[in-house]
Amino acid sequence: MRFVFLSILLLVVCSPFSLGFTTDAFYIETVIADSVIILDSNDFNAFAGVFTKDFVFQAPSLGLPPAKGSQQLIAEAFKLFPNGILLQNAITTQRIAFVGPTDENYQFTRAKVITYLTTTFFGTGNLTGQIVAVYSRLDDTLTKTSLPNYAGWRVSERDLSAFGTAGNLAILPPGFRK
């Protein structure tokens, strides 16, 4: 009985799912979720709280220009959606992989995350009642910083690639049409 208890204790303490990793995974999931909720709510200035200052964004499959830095991303979002946008994002499958380096406490400071995302755009004006869904994949790199919130985790790189659509493509903003 003592052997079984010690084996379970060792498994829990040495597992990559021990408290430190699961806590970091929670904050990583939260910062990625917040990054799409910010887009849903058209609160583009809040991007500065989830991305690093030297953030790099690429989405060539959507015809969007690359952006360097959270401030440029905010400016591009306001340019692309000057009157806001009516949309809703749904995160589906997500995989988090912690990668080196580690800090002085042997905690990982970088993570690579793959997230699948469905973005539904809702028509307005003469397109009211119509939708278009864009199916995409986020390839994010997150870096642990000394900033507050999210235990310091921030998105430092994002590659967004769309791989399918369904619905009326006329609803998409002109910058999304290639």
Side-chain angles (χ1 to χ4, degrees):
M1 182 70 172
R2 187 180 312 152
F3 175 75
V4 171
F5 174 76
L6 289 175
S7 296
I8 291 172
L9 180 64
L10 187 61
L11 179 65
V12 170
V13 171
C14 295
S15 166
F17 298 105
S18 64
L19 184 59
F21 287 115
T22 56
T23 301
D24 281 339
F26 167 78
Y27 285 115
I28 289 169
E29 289 171 350
T30 303
V31 76
I32 290 173
D34 283 355
S35 75
V36 296
I37 290 170
I38 288 167
L39 188 57
D40 290 349
S41 61
N42 292 284
D43 186 12
F44 305 135
N45 287 315
F47 279 142
V50 295
F51 298 116
T52 60
K53 287 185 187 214
D54 59 350
F55 170 72
V56 177
F57 172 79
Q58 296 184 71
S61 66
L62 292 174
L64 298 176
K68 276 196 155 197
S70 56
Q71 292 306 313
Q72 184 183 0
L73 179 68
I74 292 167
E76 291 295 333
F78 278 116
K79 190 178 348 173
L80 187 60
F81 310 120
N83 301 314
I85 184 86
L86 188 56
L87 57 77
Q88 190 267 324
N89 284 286
I91 293 174
T92 56
T93 309
Q94 188 173 67
R95 182 181 59 87
I96 300 169
F98 292 96
V99 295
T102 58
D103 63 14
E104 64 279 356
N105 297 316
Y106 304 103
Q107 298 292 313
F108 285 106
T109 59
R110 288 175 51 89
K112 297 278 190 179
V113 183
I114 295 171
T115 305
Y116 286 90
L117 183 69
T118 301
T119 305
T120 304
F121 292 84
F122 300 92
T124 58
N126 65 342
L127 299 174
T128 297
Q130 298 183 48
I131 63 170
V132 62
V134 177
Y135 306 99
S136 55
R137 172 179 159 158
L138 302 175
D139 286 281
D140 289 334
T141 300
L142 283 89
T143 304
K144 193 162 192 174
T145 69
S146 60
L147 297 171
N149 301 327
Y150 311 112
W153 287 101
R154 298 293 187 276
V155 181
S156 53
E157 296 174 28
R158 172 165 286 171
D159 291 332
L160 171 62
S161 53
F163 54 85
T165 59
N168 186 346
L169 296 178
I171 294 169
L172 291 175
F176 271 53
R177 295 183 223 142
K178 227 176 165 186

